[in-house]
Amino acid sequence: QVQLVESGGGLVQAGDSLRLSCAASGRTFSNYPMSWFRQAPGKEREFVAGVSRHGVNTLYGNSVKGRFTISRDNAKNTVYLQMNSLKPEDTAVYYCAAGKDTFVVPQTTQRVGSWGRGTQVTVSS
């Protein structure tokens, strides 16, 4: 399995931007489609964004379309989530995830093979 470590979370104000990073190790990073999920207190973990193995295809959850951008740098074994125009409802723990299937970007937790430990993002109003 691939090991994942997130960074970049923090406390920001509504309208601010933040960039999350997820560093991978242990296996060939480019073999894995990658996603970001988030989980707010009392809510289920939800899909935020995903990217195919070589960054050609991206997918986004409806609540973040037009505001968030996922990207990856396979040379650095890192996937990013650029978050703009942040809202209080974006407050959650954000998790990096590697897909189980080489050709399927994970959009459900069942499709995830490895998880990071998460990074907290708090957006104040």
Side-chain angles (χ1 to χ4, degrees), residues 8 10 12 22 25 29 38 41 51 57 61 63 71 77 82 86-87 107 109-110 114-117 125:
V12 296
C22 171
S25 62
F29 180 63
R38 68 186 182 187
V51 61
N57 296 311
S63 60
S71 61
N77 292 347
Q82 178 67 43
L86 282 161
K87 303 176 181 180
Q107 296 183 70
T109 57
Q110 292 83 357
S114 298
W115 292 98
R117 292 190 174 185
S125 58

Side-chain angles (χ1 to χ4, degrees), residues 35-107:
S35 291
W36 288 93
F37 288 74
R38 68 186 182 187
Q39 189 165 20
K43 294 188 176 181
E44 293 187 352
R45 195 168 296 191
E46 67 168 346
F47 171 76
V48 175
V51 61
S52 57
R53 290 181 300 147
H54 299 292
V56 174
N57 296 311
T58 56
L59 298 168
Y60 294 93
N62 288 334
S63 60
V64 307
K65 281 181 182 177
R67 300 188 298 123
F68 290 12
T69 302
I70 189 171
S71 61
R72 65 189 295 162
D73 186 337
N74 287 347
K76 295 182 178 180
N77 292 347
T78 302
V79 62
Y80 305 97
L81 184 68
Q82 178 67 43
M83 306 185 293
N84 298 329
S85 302
L86 282 161
K87 303 176 181 180
E89 50 264 43
D90 294 318
T91 295
V93 177
Y94 283 71
Y95 297 91
C96 179
K100 285 182 180 177
D101 187 326
T102 301
F103 300 103
V104 178
V105 174
Q107 296 183 70

Side-chain angles (χ1 to χ4, degrees), residues 104-124:
V104 178
V105 174
Q107 296 183 70
T108 64
T109 57
Q110 292 83 357
R111 291 286 193 181
V112 174
S114 298
W115 292 98
R117 292 190 174 185
T119 185
Q120 176 71 47
V121 172
T122 303
V123 184
S124 64

